[in-house]
């Protein structure tokens, strides 16, 4: 049991950070921008279990938070932001964590034209190279250093840090005492202390960053009709070589598809293939809803 005490403490702090700091932070964003904030701490009938969203390759991935336009308890909305969060006590494997979480987020940018904000809200010992990797992938980073987390708990009479070489029995005693005193009231007290240490200005600037990302609206939309020939199949390299000496592609009954391209005011672009006109219209409808929503917020 002693060997797992450090893991247990990390889980307790990670769960607290996700529910008592990150969720209220994003709910503040949601209230400000009139968005539904989905989280594993939010019960809703529109989904069962994990917060799963499909990517461009048809894979369904579980996310910590998704901000939805038009979402409700009974209905999934249009995703506009995907966010991951974590707590790390030590710096080990920081870059692996940065690579994994950013790699999990990036496909959403190519899947949904409205997914204008991808972010990580991290806390703890997250190294500079790891942070730089996240930023280089154009993913927003909200970073709370380990010292602020430790001090928030310490100022509320809770010890949650210890020397790396501490004996397992001593470590287990720290975890047992921590768990015993980590009541709901204490969780709220530590939450308030951390907000004070982080600063209201920092929290407000995060709200502004999300708003700015979602407010970068389309400046140019390009619709492209594509005609492709039916594939010609060869059973050998020589057959393909012979064909290419005098190629003749059958375009009498071409396969139709559409390319939807958007350039936003921040210079970023979105491009996705639509296999039919209905799919093309659905892509554009999402952009229409986001544009109308943000313009309405600006005018209110």
């Amino acid at each position: 049991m002693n060997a797992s005490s450090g893991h247990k403490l990390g889980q307790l702090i990670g769960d607290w950070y996700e529910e008592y700091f990150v969720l209220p932070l994003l709910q503040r964003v949601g209230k400000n921008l009139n968005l539904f904030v989905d989280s594993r701490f939010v019960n809703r009938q529109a989904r069962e279990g994990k917060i799963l969203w499909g990517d461009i390759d048809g894979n369904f991935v579980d996310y910590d938070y998704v901000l939805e336009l038009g979402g409700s308890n009974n209905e999934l909305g249009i995703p506009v932001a995907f966010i991951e969060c974590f707590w790390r006590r030590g710096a080990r494997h920081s870059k692996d964590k940065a690579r994994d979480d950013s790699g999990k987020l990036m496909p959403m940018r190519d899947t949904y034209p409205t997914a204008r904000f991808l972010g990580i809200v991290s806390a703890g010992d997250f190294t500079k190279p790891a942070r730089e990797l996240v930023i280089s992938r154009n993913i927003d980073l909200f970073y709370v250093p380990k010292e602020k987390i430790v001090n928030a708990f310490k100022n509320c009479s809770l010890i949650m840090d210890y020397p790396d070489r501490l004996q397992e029995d001593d470590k287990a005693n720290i975890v047992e005492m921590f768990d015993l005193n980590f009541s709901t009231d204490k969780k709220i007290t530590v939450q308030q202390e951390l907000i004070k240490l982080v600063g209201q200005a920092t929290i407000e600037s995060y709200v502004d960053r999300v708003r700015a990302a979602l407010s970068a609206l389309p400046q140019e939309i390009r619709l492209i009709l594509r005609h492709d020939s039916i594939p010609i199949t060869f059973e050998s390299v020589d057959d393909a070589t012979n064909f290419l000496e005098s190629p003749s592609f059958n375009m009498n009954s071409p396969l139709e598809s559409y390319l939807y391209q958007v350039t936003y005011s921040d210079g970023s672009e979105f491009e996705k293939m639509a296999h039919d006109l209905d799919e093309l219209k659905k892509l554009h409808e999402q952009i229409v809803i986001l544009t109308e929503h943000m313009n309405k917020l600006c005018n209110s």
Side-chain angles (χ1 to χ4, degrees), residues 21-78:
F21 183 80
V22 183
L23 180 58
L25 172 67
L26 296 178
Q27 287 175 332
R28 188 183 186 97
V29 174
K31 183 178 180 180
N32 191 286
L33 301 181
N34 194 20
L35 301 171
F36 185 91
V37 181
D38 200 6
S39 156
R40 67 187 177 99
F41 300 103
V42 174
N43 294 319
R44 63 189 303 204
Q45 296 178 355
R47 63 167 172 80
E48 294 182 2
K50 295 180 178 180
I51 305 168
L52 298 173
W53 285 85
D55 65 17
I56 197 167
D57 296 318
N59 303 310
F60 281 85
V61 184
D62 177 24
Y63 292 93
D64 290 334
Y65 305 93
V66 179
L67 275 57
E68 301 171 13
L69 178 57
S72 67
N73 177 53
N74 298 314
E75 186 175 353
L76 289 175
I78 297 171

Side-chain angles (χ1 to χ4, degrees), residues 207-240:
V207 177
D208 291 340
R209 291 207 303 272
V210 180
R211 176 189 281 272
L214 299 184
S215 298
L217 298 176
Q219 298 300 301
E220 185 176 73
I221 295 175
R222 296 175 296 279
L223 308 178
I224 302 171
L225 170 63
R226 294 184 53 174
H227 281 170
D228 296 312
S229 68
I230 297 173
I232 303 173
T233 305
F234 304 96
E235 295 183 0
S236 71
V237 173
D238 288 341
D239 288 345

Side-chain angles (χ1 to χ4, degrees), residues 10-286:
Q11 191 69 52
L12 287 170
I13 296 169
D15 286 348
W16 166 83
Y17 182 68
E18 187 174 345
E19 182 178 9
Y20 283 83
F21 183 80
V22 183
L23 180 58
L25 172 67
L26 296 178
Q27 287 175 332
R28 188 183 186 97
V29 174
K31 183 178 180 180
N32 191 286
L33 301 181
N34 194 20
L35 301 171
F36 185 91
V37 181
D38 200 6
S39 156
R40 67 187 177 99
F41 300 103
V42 174
N43 294 319
R44 63 189 303 204
Q45 296 178 355
R47 63 167 172 80
E48 294 182 2
K50 295 180 178 180
I51 305 168
L52 298 173
W53 285 85
D55 65 17
I56 197 167
D57 296 318
N59 303 310
F60 281 85
V61 184
D62 177 24
Y63 292 93
D64 290 334
Y65 305 93
V66 179
L67 275 57
E68 301 171 13
L69 178 57
S72 67
N73 177 53
N74 298 314
E75 186 175 353
L76 289 175
I78 297 171
V80 298
F82 292 86
I83 295 136
E84 290 292 288
C85 81
F86 57 82
W87 148 258
R88 295 185 63 83
R89 180 183 175 273
R92 190 180 180 187
H93 303 310
S94 277
K95 202 162 186 180
D96 289 340
K97 181 63 174 173
R99 187 178 295 108
D100 290 346
D101 277 12
S102 59
K104 182 178 177 182
L105 290 165
M106 288 169 65
M108 297 298 102
R109 186 179 287 134
D110 298 323
T111 305
Y112 302 98
T114 52
R116 306 293 302 133
F117 185 88
L118 305 178
I120 292 176
V121 184
S122 68
D125 202 344
F126 196 43
T127 63
K128 182 180 179 181
R131 300 196 304 269
E132 289 175 342
L133 175 62
V134 170
I135 295 169
S136 72
R137 291 183 165 183
N138 199 25
I139 292 173
D140 183 89
L141 179 64
F142 187 112
Y143 173 55
V144 181
K146 179 181 177 180
E147 184 179 3
K148 279 186 166 50
I149 300 291
V150 173
N151 287 337
F153 280 91
K154 183 179 179 181
N155 294 347
C156 297
S157 304
L158 282 173
I159 303 302
M160 45 74 70
D161 197 28
Y162 48 81
D164 290 337
R165 296 187 178 182
L166 188 69
Q167 294 293 320
E168 287 297 335
D169 286 345
D170 295 331
K171 189 189 301 182
N173 289 334
I174 289 175
V175 176
E176 183 179 0
M177 185 62 63
F178 180 92
D179 194 17
L180 184 66
N181 292 295
F182 203 33
S183 63
T184 299
D185 287 344
K186 183 67 77 171
K187 290 176 181 178
I188 295 173
T189 302
V190 180
Q191 171 205 54
Q192 294 169 344
E193 183 65 21
L194 182 59
I195 290 173
K196 185 167 66 176
L197 292 175
V198 170
Q200 283 292 343
T202 301
I203 291 174
E204 290 300 330
S205 71
Y206 183 75
V207 177
D208 291 340
R209 291 207 303 272
V210 180
R211 176 189 281 272
L214 299 184
S215 298
L217 298 176
Q219 298 300 301
E220 185 176 73
I221 295 175
R222 296 175 296 279
L223 308 178
I224 302 171
L225 170 63
R226 294 184 53 174
H227 281 170
D228 296 312
S229 68
I230 297 173
I232 303 173
T233 305
F234 304 96
E235 295 183 0
S236 71
V237 173
D238 288 341
D239 288 345
T241 301
N242 292 333
F243 173 82
L244 288 173
E245 290 179 357
S246 182
S248 177
F249 292 91
N250 181 9
M251 293 297 291
N252 293 328
S253 300
L255 301 175
E256 285 192 354
S257 60
Y258 301 86
L259 192 61
Y260 187 77
Q261 298 177 332
V262 185
T263 300
Y264 298 93
S265 59
D266 61 2
S268 62
E269 293 195 351
F270 173 85
E271 178 180 294
K272 189 175 182 180
M273 185 69 67
H275 297 292
D276 55 43
L277 197 54
D278 287 340
E279 187 177 348
L280 183 70
K281 290 178 179 178
K282 185 176 180 180
L283 281 172
H284 185 65
E285 182 182 6
Q286 293 176 355

